[in-house]
Amino acid sequence: MILETIGYIIISIGAIFLFLGAFGIFRMPDIYSRMQAGTKATTLGAMGVVFGVGLVQPEWFWKTFIIVLFIAISNPISSHALARGSYKIGIKPFTKKEGLDDLDGVYEAEEEK
Amino acid sequence: MSRFLFTFIILFLIWLGFTTSLATSELITGAVISLIITSFVYKTFTDYGMKFFSPMRVAYIIQYLIVFLIALIKANLDVARRVVDPKLPINPGIVKYDTKLKSRTAKVILANSITLTPGTLTVDIIDDALYIHWIDVTSKDPDVIYREIGESFEKILRKIFQ
């Protein structure tokens, strides 16, 4: 009973973070900042929802535990791939000041080597 | 051989987690399937092998998980705060972060952890340099970047992977 209540609370927290992630994708100015909001909020959100389900249904606990581990490993990798791909096709990050883009010219220099 | 055993144990543990049953038939199926997969992937699965299970390392891994979990929750509160704020307080940019780690696995774990911690997203790793999209660039000084972004992770990772 107590475990079930805790499970539902964790699911709710996860859902709130998933909502904030979607809201962040809506508000941020460029793809990299959107990815920031997307990755972090959806990782904790999805982990919370899945883990909460594991607490509500204790016989699923270890399954959900492994799914949570896989989410924690795979989510940052996918966002890294998206960010790197975006940069490689030439999308420049949104910056408020000049000179805040250290990756500028790095790939061109790599190719010349 | 040690890498083979390490891969087998990890795969078998995953099998146990998914079936959550100790019936003999389940265990035998799991062992056979783990063996087949292990024989294909053990060369690329790990650079380390069994020495990873030493008690010291396990203690450091647990310490790392705790540090990481706290950072993950902080990151989410940080993102939530920025997203909800009507003024949208961000100052994004890409900075270069020099890591002192040598091992490939350690670099990947560091990059993943950085992606999941407050305001930072790893865009690429080139040799020893991580290029990180930082949502609030407070300084361009390499020492400050090192301290603010990854020092707490790197200290523990160096102990795990030396």
Side-chain angles (χ1 to χ4, degrees), chain A residues 44-59:
Chain A
L44 192 66
M47 277 161 77
V49 170
V50 173
F51 196 71
V53 170
L55 289 181
V56 174
Q57 293 276 347
E59 64 267 37

Side-chain angles (χ1 to χ4, degrees), chain A residues 44-86:
Chain A
L44 192 66
M47 277 161 77
V49 170
V50 173
F51 196 71
V53 170
L55 289 181
V56 174
Q57 293 276 347
E59 64 267 37
W60 294 350
F61 180 79
W62 288 108
K63 288 179 212 196
T64 55
F65 183 76
I66 289 174
I67 295 171
V68 164
L69 280 184
F70 281 151
I71 291 174
I73 295 169
S74 60
N75 236 351
I77 291 178
S78 61
S79 76
H80 150 73
L82 283 169
R84 184 165 181 270
S86 313

Side-chain angles (χ1 to χ4, degrees), chain A residues 17 20 23-24 27-30 32-33 35-37 39-44 47 59 62-63 66-67 70 72-73 76-77 79-80 83-84 87-88 93-97 99-103 106-107 110 113, chain B residues 13-14 17-20 68-69 72-73 75-77 79-80 82-88 90-96 112 114-127 131 133-135 137 140:
Chain A
F17 276 117
L20 285 171
F23 196 52
R27 286 204 67 192
M28 291 293 183
D30 73 336
Y32 304 99
S33 315
M35 210 88 77
Q36 294 254 6
T39 317
K40 289 182 236 303
T42 54
T43 309
L44 192 66
M47 277 161 77
E59 64 267 37
W62 288 108
K63 288 179 212 196
I66 289 174
I67 295 171
F70 281 151
I73 295 169
I77 291 178
S79 76
H80 150 73
R84 184 165 181 270
Y87 206 97
K88 285 219 160 177
F94 163 87
T95 49
K96 286 187 175 163
K97 278 180 256 159
L100 279 180
D101 184 3
D102 279 357
L103 249 182
V106 170
Y107 289 128
E110 282 278 306
K113 264 186 214 165
Chain B
L13 282 178
I14 292 173
F18 273 131
T19 55
T20 41
F68 171 74
L69 213 64
L72 178 63
I73 291 166
N76 276 277
L77 295 177
V79 165
R82 282 179 208 282
V83 164
V84 174
D85 196 315
K87 287 200 293 286
L88 203 65
I90 57 170
N91 175 31
I94 293 181
V95 295
K96 183 166 174 260
N112 274 359
I114 284 174
T115 298
L116 291 175
T117 49
T120 49
L121 173 89
T122 313
V123 178
D124 207 352
I125 309 178
I126 298 171
D127 299 329
Y131 291 90
H133 183 266
W134 198 0
I135 207 150
V137 181
K140 292 276 289 172

Side-chain angles (χ1 to χ4, degrees), chain B residues 8-149:
Chain B
F8 179 76
I9 290 172
I10 296 286
L11 289 176
F12 195 64
L13 282 178
I14 292 173
W15 173 274
L16 281 183
F18 273 131
T19 55
T20 41
S21 133
L22 289 175
T24 325
S25 57
E26 294 272 22
L27 290 184
I28 293 171
T29 323
V32 170
I33 290 175
S34 301
L35 260 181
I36 295 169
I37 300 176
T38 304
S39 60
F40 282 115
V41 302
Y42 78 99
K43 281 188 184 124
T44 48
F45 190 83
T46 168
D47 285 344
Y48 291 89
M50 285 308 283
K51 64 176 185 239
F52 221 86
F53 287 131
S54 75
M56 278 295 277
R57 280 213 173 79
V58 172
Y60 282 130
I61 290 169
I62 291 169
Q63 188 195 353
Y64 187 81
L65 286 179
I66 292 168
V67 170
F68 171 74
L69 213 64
I70 292 169
L72 178 63
I73 291 166
K74 263 204 250 164
N76 276 277
L77 295 177
D78 180 73
V79 165
R81 184 177 59 82
R82 282 179 208 282
V83 164
V84 174
D85 196 315
K87 287 200 293 286
L88 203 65
I90 57 170
N91 175 31
I94 293 181
V95 295
K96 183 166 174 260
Y97 170 96
D98 293 302
T99 174
K100 296 183 179 69
L101 297 169
K102 291 281 165 279
S103 136
R104 289 188 305 157
T105 321
K107 276 186 206 164
V108 171
I109 294 177
L110 178 70
N112 274 359
S113 307
I114 284 174
T115 298
L116 291 175
T117 49
T120 49
L121 173 89
T122 313
V123 178
D124 207 352
I125 309 178
I126 298 171
D127 299 329
D128 279 344
L130 273 71
Y131 291 90
I132 291 166
H133 183 266
W134 198 0
I135 207 150
D136 189 12
V137 181
T138 46
S139 162
K140 292 276 289 172
D141 180 18
D143 289 336
V144 177
I145 291 172
Y146 180 75
R147 214 173 38 242
E148 296 238 326
I149 293 182

